[in-house]
Amino acid sequence: MRAILPGKPQARLQALCTTEWEGLRLVAYISGNGLMILGGPGDLVQTIYHEDFEALIAVTIDEASGKIAIASSHEVHVYRPYGKEDGLLKWSLQCTIPRPQQEPEDVTLSWGTDEELLVGSSSLRLFQTAVDEAEIWCRALSKPTRIAKFSCDANLIASTGHYDRLVKLWRRQSCGADDTRFDFTYLQHPTAVTAIHWRRPHTRVQASEHVLYSVCADHKLRIWAAMDQQRTQGLQLWAEIDMQDSVQPRQLNPEIHSQDRFAFFIDSQDFSRTATAIVKEAARLGATNVESKEQYALQHLAEIAKSSPEVCVVLDRHGHMSAWGLENIGCKVRKPTDIFNFAHVENFDIGFLDSADRTENNTQFVPFCWGQPAAPFILLAHHFDGRIEWLECRLEELFAPSPHQKRTRRKILWTGHDGPVKKIVRSASGKAVISRTNDNEATIWAQGIGGSDLGLTRRSSLKCPEHIHRSWLLQEEHFLVNLHHCSISLWDARLSPAVQVGYVPFDIEGDPICLVQLPKPSLDTKTMHIATITAKQNGIVWEIILPEGSVRQPDARSPSVPSIKFCCAFELDINDNIAFMLPVDPAGSAVWTSSSLDTFSKDIAISYSHDGRLRTWTAALDSDESAVAWLVTSTVETGIKDPSLASASSIRKTALVDSPKTGLTIWDMRSGQLEYSIQYGDLELIRDLDWSSTPDDQALLAVGFPHKVVILAQMRYDYLNAGAAWAPIRSINIKESTPHPIGDSTWLGSGNLLVGAGNQLFIYDKSVDSSDDMISDLALPVHKGGKMNLFDLVTILNGPLPLFHPQFISQCILAGKLGQAQKILHGLYKALKFFTDGDTLDGFVSMSPDIFTVEAQTSNGGTLDYHARYGSIDEEMEPDLEEVAASLNETLSRISLPQLSSQDQTHLADMVDCVSTVIKHQRSMDENATRYLLFFRQHMIRKGQVPQNRASVTYREIVWAYHSGSQDILVDLTSRQFQGRMLWADAKDCGLSMWINDVNALRTQFETIARNEYAKTDEKNPIDCSLYYLALRKKNVLLGLWRMAAWNREQASTQRLLSNNFQEARWKTAALKNAYALLGKRRFEYAAAFFLLAGNLQDAVNVCLHQMRDLQLAVAVARVYEGDDGSVLRLLLTDKVLPQAASEGDRWLATWAFWMLGKRDLALRSLISPVHTLLDTPEWPKMQARSYLANDPALVVLYKQLRGKTLQTLKGASRVSAKEEWDFVIQTARLYDRMGCDLLALDLVRNWEFLLQAKEMPSPTEAAPDPRMMLRRRSSLVVDDLSSSKSPTGMKAGMGKPPPQKVFEEPEANSLLDNFGF
């Protein structure tokens, strides 16, 4: 926490009090209906709110017991402390004392001895509060008392009423709960008494020598003492000080003369103790360390402190101060030297403000000895305009006769609101904010005024007679626009309080829901335009002309007077039921100008509809500023019904809250993709959303709950681990500081978070501790420990990656840059040769970025040419990669790289091992096989590290292997991974059944799996392999295995059943009955086997898919049983796989399914277009289908590879418009950027080649153009699959029959290369 604005203090005489209790300094003051208890300048101990929402009037602390009493117009509450021994000091309610109904509102409180509490109003009542409240004395008064105070020994009470010239002095006659009596005398004054103060005794003798100070409206201070202890008439006037004459400014300028005088007293106990400590500290430091000017001030202070005088300080509004010493108070014969002036100085800086309200011009001072060496004396200045200053000073500087530039230092300013904060609105830069309450009272705050580090400074305030619906700050804190229900007003906030300078009523259909500032058509800072939008989708624009400068000219006729006038009306031309519209959060956006209207313009507003449709808007005025045009810059269908809250940032991120207010989603409005989704508990209702932006345009989101704020930060996209794109990095809980729920919050321009709760404003700085649980879960680099800046943390989490980061190397290999990945590892190997902990490590490992943007020549098959793969002959000979890998793994086990977390470093070691393995087999496989092998190897390593991880390789790796021409090698390598004993779980792990193209090869592997499943246990159970052998139609093999299973009690019955001919209907029925019986026993795999035995492939596939939830097994059984052209497989792909891919947004699964169906054009288009748009009966996709994970950047690599592979894919590419392909490439580049792979984004946009577009469509009589003409580089390896492709009807009519053999026709000589069919 950086600073606290605890609340606006009441303009009451007893609104502030302080005491030292058991070694703790306690300060308490009242604000509205709240009690603020503080232990120091920034130490808010506790906030207590009065339940009746009644404004409090008085507060006082008992020095002996630590009890605090507060009073309202109807009750007095007593709170007692607890938990001090445990270090958790708090106060709880002990008792409530009701006030008589006929009493006036004003009340005064004072503590006596033995926990006695004096309550004064129209009567004086004394209560004993040691156990429960008990009234022990009461005396009605002829006039309500204004001030009533106990003397320090509680034997005397001094009281006076409003505008009263008499002070009643009550003397205690007897003590005891049953017999407490007081009598009184009068102390007469010539004018009304304004303040009284009892002297605190310095010694035991002084305890019985009562001294009372009184201040009157005649600006005279009177000292009353018992000059004759034998007499009983009480106190007598001992002396008086004329405060008006005691402060005489030395300048003749009448502007610095003030008639107002203020006084405070420093009791001799505090003065002597503080002065002695200062002199001793100076003596310890030695005279050589003290300047002559300071030495003279110390001598002056030491001379004064010798006689331990009482000190009276008198000052005016302009920093002129006079200090008086009082000695021998109460002596019968007063000597002239008993009252002496020892200081008359200037530059006593107090924050006085001139106010038109005389009540707010009053200031009370509460001095005390702090006991801190740097600031031993503290002065609390309670300004009745709603401020409390904590002023620190040293007595030798305060009373030094020589001139001083500044005698006091303001440590902190306590202020705020006197009612609950309802709304906080920031300026565009975040340097100013306005906070307002339900009572339409608003305060304008500025940040960092004069280089101060106090957080916020109050610049102006206003009390609006109308309800404030919306507010907007202009020119930082200088001007304010308030939108009301039927009018708009302009306020000049350069003075305090703010002045209304413009008012325009309006009449429009619909309730105003939004107030936004329109982009400026020019750099003119004087003219601005503000618009409101109603629920009926219409609005009004006003023109505002503002003067320049922060000083208001006194002449109202001068051109510095601001004005507001009607400009134009408009309607939103959109057929949508807008639920709400609000301005885009200005965090991170500078003042902008715009003379054009397009999608590149800055967003100024966002709307959401009841069905969850998000729209961002921009607007522009025409040249003559007589009309405004609105444009929708982006639209996102979220599918969230009746959203309750939304907020958009200037970098086109939008947060949306669902109807129950427990679910949060974050959307990228550029791409329309979901970046984050979380569901909070039922008791955690989201109430506020606030955006901030780092200097490099990284986003931060503060999610507000009733009693806490959770800060979310952007993370890098991680497609390989499916990591979250946002993560919580800090949680701010205000329950320890206040019981009041949060009203609103906003970000300041400096990155600090401002939270308003109740009357208070809390400012939390942007520093975070890396040892926090939230931060430690983010796996930061190991050297990023301790405190760090919030902006720096976000840059680490979402900034560019070093080249040797495992994610960057992975994406390099996916992008076909295996050679560059090798160079990175060689560069890292060289950089770590002489690296030690603490050294800096170049993120580029001495590599030039150009090597990533030079296009490597590849064929359509995806194989790099020789020089791109292995480098030129002239290159410097690099060490063997196996040697490099071994050295890197050994080095990474010893040292920590500064840019990587421990988890990333482990993954890097795994990646080095995987790349080394791939390079061994590189010459015998193509690029797609290399991609698959790398990530399969990485998957197996991570699975070995986390055995409970049962996930298989993703569909991305399956698709790479499916399009590989080196499948024989992949089958061999994956089999070796499992030592030649591949079970179905292993086959599923590597996706074998989906990526093997040759059905016969798949059947061979399936038979191997069947044998291994049978032999996986010592008992060799034929049940384990039944499904596999029956899918292979090898019932006789299974029957032979059952003959050897004599141990199995099901042997006889099963053997008899298998011996029958299942082509007959009766045995098919028997097999089906067994299958359904097994389903009832939840033996799903065995049930599927019996469905196959009955020849019912469809039911067997359904069991695998629905009961076993194993899509790969369903596909494998269908392919093995009836081949790739079988109707069941095609039905499975059409009715199950493709709808699942559309629902989940899985483009990898969709492209595989379309390719399996022979629809290669759709297989290509599914890489770009949403899958559900390509289906005949599209289903509305799930939320996860809109996730950023559905837009893998590796899709662009596959798209480029498949685009020119066959005539079908070229045909599909021709149906992709140039804009669609452009958006696809740009979106992929953004994804690379969000992953931290900026160089790959640059390579993509620099080297991408678009297809040639046909200039005109052919006429019906002309033949369709050859798709190969779209290629910029003619290729001889484009497969002609158009003539052999089947229609969907033909595919289903084939019923699994193999296609007829092709008859080779010799092509013409001039087209031999282009038409050669593979």
Side-chain angles (χ1 to χ4, degrees), residues 939-1046:
H939 165 74
M940 296 308 298
I941 290 177
R942 294 191 182 182
K943 188 174 181 181
Q945 295 169 350
V946 186
Q948 61 269 25
N949 182 15
R950 298 182 179 180
S952 58
V953 294
T954 64
Y955 291 119
R956 176 183 55 238
E957 281 71 58
I958 291 174
V959 171
W960 292 129
Y962 181 70
H963 289 289
S964 170
S966 311
Q967 290 190 351
D968 293 341
I969 300 171
L970 288 182
V971 170
D972 180 59
L973 292 175
T974 52
S975 297
R976 289 185 193 177
Q977 177 69 36
F978 305 107
Q979 293 81 39
R981 298 178 180 177
M982 183 182 290
L983 303 175
W984 170 248
D986 304 326
K988 180 181 177 182
D989 221 11
C990 60
L992 190 74
S993 64
M994 296 184 71
W995 56 256
I996 291 183
N997 284 322
D998 187 355
V999 177
N1000 292 326
L1002 176 60
R1003 287 171 178 149
T1004 301
Q1005 292 301 315
F1006 217 60
E1007 189 168 2
T1008 303
I1009 292 171
R1011 289 197 299 267
N1012 294 334
E1013 287 286 348
Y1014 173 71
K1016 68 180 180 182
T1017 58
D1018 294 337
E1019 58 186 12
K1020 293 183 173 56
N1021 192 347
I1023 295 176
D1024 296 336
C1025 61
S1026 297
L1027 176 62
Y1028 309 99
Y1029 277 119
L1030 292 175
L1032 290 163
R1033 300 176 185 265
K1034 294 188 176 183
K1035 184 193 71 170
N1036 293 332
V1037 176
L1038 181 61
L1039 180 59
L1041 297 178
W1042 272 107
R1043 287 178 184 145
M1044 295 183 288

Side-chain angles (χ1 to χ4, degrees), residues 807-826:
Q807 174 157 286
F808 189 90
I809 297 175
S810 301
Q811 291 301 324
C812 272
I813 297 170
L814 284 175
K817 299 182 182 298
L818 184 59
Q820 284 87 335
Q822 288 181 251
K823 289 181 179 294
I824 292 172
L825 296 183
H826 279 106

Side-chain angles (χ1 to χ4, degrees), residues 474-494:
L474 300 173
Q475 288 187 4
E476 300 301 342
E477 74 274 14
H478 296 153
F479 298 94
L480 171 69
V481 174
N482 284 329
L483 178 68
H484 315 290
H485 289 301
C486 299
S487 62
I488 189 169
S489 57
L490 176 64
W491 298 74
D492 189 342
R494 291 174 292 178

Side-chain angles (χ1 to χ4, degrees), residues 249-314:
R250 295 168 183 172
Q251 291 86 358
L252 298 178
N253 185 0
E255 293 184 359
I256 65 171
H257 291 193
S258 172
Q259 299 301 316
D260 294 333
R261 294 293 183 268
F262 306 93
F264 63 88
F265 304 93
I266 307 176
D267 295 309
S268 61
Q269 178 183 3
D270 290 341
F271 182 77
S272 300
R273 184 172 59 181
T274 305
T276 302
I278 292 172
V279 173
K280 286 183 178 179
E281 179 69 14
R284 186 182 65 81
L285 294 175
T288 56
N289 296 330
V290 181
E291 298 181 2
S292 58
K293 182 178 177 181
E294 296 179 0
Q295 194 171 8
Y296 177 67
L298 284 169
Q299 292 174 356
H300 179 68
L301 180 64
E303 188 67 26
I304 298 170
K306 281 183 180 178
S307 56
S308 300
E310 309 286 338
V311 176
C312 172
V313 179
V314 181

Side-chain angles (χ1 to χ4, degrees), residues 14 16-21 24-29 35-38 58-70 79 81 91 109-112 117:
Q14 274 197 286
L16 171 69
C17 62
T18 181
T19 191
E20 186 173 349
W21 172 64
L24 298 176
R25 171 57 59 176
L26 299 176
V27 179
Y29 76 90
L35 167 64
M36 318 302 165
I37 307 172
L38 301 105
V59 61
T60 183
I61 307 177
D62 185 13
E63 182 179 0
S65 64
K67 290 184 178 181
I68 300 177
I70 59 173
Y79 293 87
W91 277 258
L109 303 173
S110 181
W111 287 100
L117 178 63

Side-chain angles (χ1 to χ4, degrees), residues 705-925:
F705 298 90
H707 294 283
K708 71 175 181 179
V709 178
V710 176
I711 299 176
L712 301 175
Q714 277 184 296
M715 303 282 287
R716 296 185 196 93
Y717 285 172
D718 185 359
Y719 290 92
L720 301 180
N721 300 310
W726 292 77
I729 59 173
R730 188 177 182 185
S731 180
I732 298 172
N733 197 320
I734 68 165
K735 270 192 173 181
E736 296 181 358
S737 303
T738 175
H740 204 286
I742 296 174
D744 198 11
S745 61
T746 192
W747 291 93
L748 301 177
S750 61
N752 298 341
L753 183 65
L754 177 64
V755 179
N759 304 357
Q760 303 167 325
L761 295 173
F762 301 89
I763 304 172
Y764 295 89
D765 60 19
K766 58 185 177 183
S767 65
V768 292
D769 192 350
S770 61
S771 62
D772 186 83
D773 291 341
M774 284 187 173
I775 305 299
S776 59
D777 291 341
L778 300 178
L780 291 179
V782 292
H783 294 279
K784 301 293 182 182
K787 291 277 187 180
M788 70 174 64
N789 189 297
L790 192 65
F791 291 168
D792 295 338
L793 174 62
V794 178
T795 301
I796 294 171
L797 296 175
N798 195 34
L801 291 171
L803 299 189
F804 51 82
H805 195 281
Q807 174 157 286
F808 189 90
I809 297 175
S810 301
Q811 291 301 324
C812 272
I813 297 170
L814 284 175
K817 299 182 182 298
L818 184 59
Q820 284 87 335
Q822 288 181 251
K823 289 181 179 294
I824 292 172
L825 296 183
H826 279 106
L828 183 61
Y829 166 74
K830 294 176 182 178
L832 295 182
K833 269 188 176 180
F834 307 103
F835 183 85
T836 58
D837 282 332
D839 291 350
T840 57
L841 184 61
D842 179 19
F844 283 89
V845 287
S846 303
M847 294 177 61
S848 171
D850 294 338
I851 68 169
F852 293 93
T853 56
V854 176
E855 185 181 13
Q857 300 297 322
T858 65
S859 66
N860 282 330
T863 304
L864 289 170
D865 66 8
Y866 182 85
H867 295 295
R869 183 187 284 267
Y870 305 111
S872 65
I873 300 174
D874 297 332
E875 283 187 358
E876 180 185 352
M877 294 297 294
E878 300 283 357
D880 183 69
L881 191 60
E882 288 191 28
E883 177 187 343
V884 171
S887 176
L888 281 177
N889 282 332
E890 189 275 331
T891 304
L892 292 174
S893 65
R894 289 188 292 104
I895 63 175
S896 299
L897 303 188
Q899 291 98 325
L900 300 183
S901 66
S902 56
Q903 181 180 357
D904 291 335
Q905 192 157 325
T906 302
H907 290 168
L908 176 59
D910 298 341
M911 180 63 66
V912 171
D913 185 37
C914 294
V915 173
S916 174
T917 304
V918 168
I919 295 300
K920 289 181 187 178
H921 308 281
Q922 183 182 15
R923 300 193 181 190
S924 57
M925 62 176 66

Side-chain angles (χ1 to χ4, degrees), residues 434-491:
I434 176 173
S435 56
R436 68 173 189 264
T437 66
N438 290 321
D439 300 329
N440 300 313
E441 291 187 355
T443 304
I444 299 173
W445 312 85
Q447 185 185 21
I449 299 297
S452 173
D453 196 34
L454 297 175
L456 292 178
T457 302
R458 190 176 71 173
R459 295 304 304 270
S460 184
S461 61
L462 61 95
K463 173 70 174 178
C464 191
E466 294 185 62
H467 173 72
I468 300 176
H469 192 51
R470 297 286 185 269
S471 299
W472 196 275
L473 287 170
L474 300 173
Q475 288 187 4
E476 300 301 342
E477 74 274 14
H478 296 153
F479 298 94
L480 171 69
V481 174
N482 284 329
L483 178 68
H484 315 290
H485 289 301
C486 299
S487 62
I488 189 169
S489 57
L490 176 64
W491 298 74

